[in-house]
């Protein structure tokens, strides 16, 4: 396409941008695309682009810089060279994939397809760019042939935009990884197809069924009531436990479920999805796997779960505003000297003020924005940790790492980048893994631990139950950490003392350090002196405090820290 530059100057660049946009908008309707004016450095984005990247409107000034800011950091230089090549080149069409940060805080891979519009002097003047989101390129799950979670998010967006009251019911299979190992993945796939088909039959045409993450699926309906959702789950739960058959063989399956009543239209689709995942997780933890309901009127202390999670997500996307780190000292069991600190996440910001971690962490870890928060925690801890290691060069910084972080494809790259930028010594880091890590493939987990070891980072494993013994046997961990659930009743429970003896004895024979949480008083500390332990942590020494308060503690200002 060619045009007269003088005519553009007389009619206004903005007007010309709109004319070019209108030429393409009809056949690109609903697509992710933008028109870029090279001379004016402005762009007009499609509505899909505005929603995906949370721009304030269709028109974007300083467009190249704003787009570059969205590109994954390691690709920014290549992206700018790519644009320079287009502007200085003679071709009319270019294509290249890049990772861009969406409004959810996660990076999505987009194939850029750029057509060049030139003026009569054959100079590139406008770039017509379509972006194909690879995550959205396959709209149906290949196993169940159901629409995938991206389709669900799109439909949730429509419900919110048009203020349609709905019910979002999410169903999950419990211990599904064990079934895959026991019967094979083909049988596992058949189970998911059978379960989704049964759910569809129960709800009929009044609900759309989606395959979400892992062994879970969701039903979204404007016609379904909360009571109908309860009845549906009850019937499906009985069917899965008693009547589910694959190849004429009965396979008992435990399921869990969470439901979100969608009648608050001030939150976005990602918040609704995260709330459903959160409710599903709580149902899985419940001994009877009862249905967990999230709605406006069932939250204690006059707190609205939907609005809390929405606020927490927005805070993450706003440079983690409101989040801060607290530090709880760990002391040597031999002489009570400072050995390290555990880094704990906290949140405190109006209108909700201080939100207890156990209220928000299980929800946020389910959200795509957690990826950004996870890296923020590591970088913030390393930055503040340098202040601590100036006084105590051998002090160990203990960070909790979630399964979701290990599973991110960019985890290794981002970790090395943070260590390089902050200059924090990797030898002073301990990554603590929860018992949930047993849900991961053992070979994958071992490979990640070996990578951390190659960097100099040590690993600790939650060791509060006897199942930890098998994990200690399989994984090359440096420490086992015994939690409060075991230490809380040591004074009165002989069984807990026997379990403590088994875990600490096994760890000692395996040359694995033992740290103990929940040391709340002198009596518990004295009992622990009878077992082969390395370090203690608990209120007897100090609660978790901000960095400036940590440095004021007598414990911190005493002798040199132990290694």
């Amino acid at each position: 396409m060619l045009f007269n530059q003088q005519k553009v100057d007389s009619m206004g660049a903005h007007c010309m941008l709109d004319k070019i946009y209108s030429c393409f908008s009809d056949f690109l309707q609903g697509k992710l695309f933008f028109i870029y004016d090279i001379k004016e450095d402005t762009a007009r984005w499609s509505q899909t682009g505005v929603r995906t990247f949370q721009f304030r409107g269709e028109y974007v000034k300083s467009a190249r810089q704003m787009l570059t800011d969205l590109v994954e950091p390691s690709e920014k230089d290549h992206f700018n060279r790519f644009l320079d090549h287009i502007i200085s080149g003679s071709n009319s069409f270019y294509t290249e994939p890049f990772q861009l940060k969406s409004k959810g805080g996660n990076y999505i891979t987009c194939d850029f397809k750029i057509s060049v519009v030139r003026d009569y002097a054959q100079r590139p003047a406008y770039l017509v760019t379509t972006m194909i989101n690879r995550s959205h390129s396959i709209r149906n799950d290949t196993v169940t042939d159901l629409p995938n979670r991206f389709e669900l998010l799109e439909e949730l967006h429509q419900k919110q935009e048009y203020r349609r009251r709905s019910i979002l019911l999410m169903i999950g299979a419990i211990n599904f990884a064990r079934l895959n190992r026991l019967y094979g993945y083909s049988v596992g796939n058949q189970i998911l197809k059978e379960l989704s088909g049964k759910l569809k039959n129960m709800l009929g045409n009044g609900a759309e069924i989606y395959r979400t993450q892992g062994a879970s699926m969701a039903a979204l309906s404007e016609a379904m009531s909360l009571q109908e959702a309860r009845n549906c789950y009850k019937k499906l739960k009985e069917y899965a436990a008693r009547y589910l058959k694959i190849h004429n063989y009965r396979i008992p399956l435990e399921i869990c479920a969470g439901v979100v009543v969608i009648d608050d239209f001030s939150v976005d689709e990602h918040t609704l999805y995260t709330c459903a995942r959160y409710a599903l997780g709580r149902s899985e933890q419940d001994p009877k796997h009862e249905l967990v309901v999230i709605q406006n009127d069932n939250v204690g202390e006059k707190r609205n779960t939907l609005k809390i999670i929405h606020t927490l997500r927005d805070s993450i996307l706003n440079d983690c505003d409101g989040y801060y780190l607290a530090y709880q000292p760990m002391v040597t069991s031999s002489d009570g000297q400072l050995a390290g600190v555990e880094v704990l996440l906290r949140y405190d910001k109006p209108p909700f003020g201080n939100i207890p971690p156990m209220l928000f962490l299980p929800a946020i870890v389910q959200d795509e924005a957690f990826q950004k928060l996870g890296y923020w925690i590591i970088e913030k801890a390393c930055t503040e940790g340098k202040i601590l290691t100036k006084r105590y060069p051998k002090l160990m910084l203990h960070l909790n790492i979630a399964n979701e972080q290990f599973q991110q494809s960019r985890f290794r790259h981002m970790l090395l980048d943070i260590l390089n930028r902050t200059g924090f010594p990797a030898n002073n880091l301990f990554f603590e893994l929860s018992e949930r890590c047993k849900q991961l493939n053992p070979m994958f987990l071992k490979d990640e631990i070996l990578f951390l070891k190659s960097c100099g980072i040590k690993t600790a494993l939650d060791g509060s139950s006897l199942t930890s013994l098998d994990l200690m046997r399989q994984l090359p961990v440096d420490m086992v950490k015994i939690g409060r659930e075991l230490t809380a009743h040591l004074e009165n429970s002989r069984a807990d003392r026997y379990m403590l003896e088994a875990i600490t004895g096994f760890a000692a024979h395996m040359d694995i350090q033992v740290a103990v949480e929940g040391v709340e008083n002198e009596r518990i500390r004295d009992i622990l002196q009878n077992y082969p332990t390395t370090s203690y942590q608990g209120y007897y020494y100090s609660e978790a405090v901000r960095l400036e308060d940590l440095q004021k503690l007598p414990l911190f200002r005493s002798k040199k820290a132990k290694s």
Side-chain angles (χ1 to χ4, degrees), residues 66 68 103 118 132 161 172 199 226 257 262 354 373 404 488 515:
M66 186 165 287
T68 303
K103 73 172 183 178
R118 300 177 182 277
I132 299 174
E161 186 171 359
L199 180 61
L226 179 57
I262 303 174
N354 182 29
L373 179 62
E404 290 76 8

Side-chain angles (χ1 to χ4, degrees), residues 430-482:
F430 247 114
F431 279 3
E432 296 189 6
L433 317 178
S434 73
E435 197 172 86
R436 285 181 61 237
C437 72
K438 67 183 179 182
Q439 299 172 3
L440 299 175
N441 181 287
M443 294 305 296
F444 166 80
L445 188 56
K446 183 177 181 179
D447 188 50
E448 292 301 305
I449 292 174
L450 290 174
F451 163 73
L452 294 176
K453 278 185 174 293
S454 71
C455 299
I457 301 172
K458 298 178 177 62
T459 51
L461 178 69
D462 175 31
S464 301
S465 68
L466 291 177
T467 58
S468 307
L469 297 179
D470 189 47
L471 286 174
M472 281 191 278
R473 181 182 63 83
Q474 295 182 60
L475 303 174
V477 295
D478 302 282
M479 174 183 283
V480 60
K481 199 163 188 184
I482 294 169

Side-chain angles (χ1 to χ4, degrees), residues 183-202:
Y183 298 108
Y185 286 96
S186 62
V187 172
N189 290 342
Q190 286 291 322
I191 291 173
L192 291 177
K193 291 176 70 174
E194 185 69 23
L195 196 64
S196 62
K198 188 67 176 179
L199 180 61
K200 181 66 177 176
N201 289 337
M202 285 181 175

Side-chain angles (χ1 to χ4, degrees), residues 381-411:
C382 288
T383 301
E384 295 186 347
K386 288 185 70 176
I387 300 172
L388 302 177
T389 53
K390 280 184 180 178
R391 180 176 176 86
Y392 292 123
K394 295 184 178 180
L395 181 136
M396 301 301 297
L397 204 65
H398 288 246
L399 286 164
N400 294 284
I401 301 297
N403 288 2
E404 290 76 8
Q405 289 171 279
F406 268 142
Q407 292 174 298
Q408 292 164 11
S409 60
R410 302 167 58 249
F411 177 72

Side-chain angles (χ1 to χ4, degrees), residues 365-380:
V365 79
Q366 303 290 342
D367 196 280
E368 291 178 341
F370 178 71
Q371 181 177 152
K372 178 177 180 178
L373 179 62
Y375 294 132
W376 179 88
I377 293 169
I378 298 173
E379 182 163 355
K380 185 77 169 175

Side-chain angles (χ1 to χ4, degrees), residues 170-412:
M170 193 169 284
I171 307 285
I174 299 171
N175 292 325
F176 195 72
R178 183 184 64 83
L179 290 178
N180 274 332
R181 291 194 297 269
L182 188 62
Y183 298 108
Y185 286 96
S186 62
V187 172
N189 290 342
Q190 286 291 322
I191 291 173
L192 291 177
K193 291 176 70 174
E194 185 69 23
L195 196 64
S196 62
K198 188 67 176 179
L199 180 61
K200 181 66 177 176
N201 289 337
M202 285 181 175
L203 296 177
N205 296 327
E208 186 70 49
I209 312 299
Y210 301 85
R211 171 76 186 277
T212 54
Q213 294 169 265
S216 61
M217 57 199 68
L220 182 62
S221 172
E222 294 181 33
M224 180 168 47
S225 68
L226 179 57
Q227 187 56 49
E228 286 171 331
R230 293 182 189 277
N231 294 339
C232 173
Y233 174 55
K234 183 178 179 180
K235 293 177 182 177
L236 190 66
K237 189 177 180 182
E238 182 180 13
Y239 166 77
R242 300 177 61 181
Y243 304 110
L244 178 65
K245 287 185 178 182
I246 304 296
H247 304 313
N248 293 322
Y249 289 96
R250 192 170 72 84
I251 300 179
L253 177 69
E254 283 189 298
I255 62 173
C256 53
V259 67
V260 176
V261 178
I262 303 174
D263 55 8
D264 182 345
F265 306 109
S266 64
V267 301
D268 65 15
E269 65 270 22
H270 295 279
T271 297
L272 297 173
Y273 184 81
T274 296
C275 284
R277 296 282 301 170
Y278 171 53
L280 185 68
R282 284 178 51 192
S283 175
E284 183 176 4
Q285 293 168 3
D286 181 76
K288 295 183 179 180
H289 309 306
E290 298 287 355
L291 180 71
V292 173
V293 179
I294 291 183
Q295 60 183 133
N296 288 345
D297 60 357
N298 74 332
V299 184
E301 300 180 3
K302 299 180 180 180
R303 289 183 168 183
N304 183 320
T305 302
L306 286 171
K307 280 191 167 59
I308 287 176
I309 293 177
H310 183 70
T311 300
L312 291 167
R313 291 190 73 258
D314 275 357
S315 292
I316 294 173
L317 300 178
N318 189 26
D319 296 324
C320 299
D321 183 35
Y323 291 94
Y324 70 93
L325 300 182
Y327 299 85
Q328 187 169 33
M330 299 173 65
V331 305
T332 55
S333 57
S334 57
D335 57 10
Q337 295 301 308
L338 187 64
V341 290
E342 181 176 0
V343 181
L344 299 165
L345 183 66
R346 298 288 187 262
Y347 183 87
D348 189 357
K349 184 185 176 184
F352 297 108
N354 182 29
I355 302 178
M358 291 312 297
L359 179 61
F360 72 81
L361 269 179
I364 287 300
V365 79
Q366 303 290 342
D367 196 280
E368 291 178 341
F370 178 71
Q371 181 177 152
K372 178 177 180 178
L373 179 62
Y375 294 132
W376 179 88
I377 293 169
I378 298 173
E379 182 163 355
K380 185 77 169 175
C382 288
T383 301
E384 295 186 347
K386 288 185 70 176
I387 300 172
L388 302 177
T389 53
K390 280 184 180 178
R391 180 176 176 86
Y392 292 123
K394 295 184 178 180
L395 181 136
M396 301 301 297
L397 204 65
H398 288 246
L399 286 164
N400 294 284
I401 301 297
N403 288 2
E404 290 76 8
Q405 289 171 279
F406 268 142
Q407 292 174 298
Q408 292 164 11
S409 60
R410 302 167 58 249
F411 177 72
R412 293 187 179 189

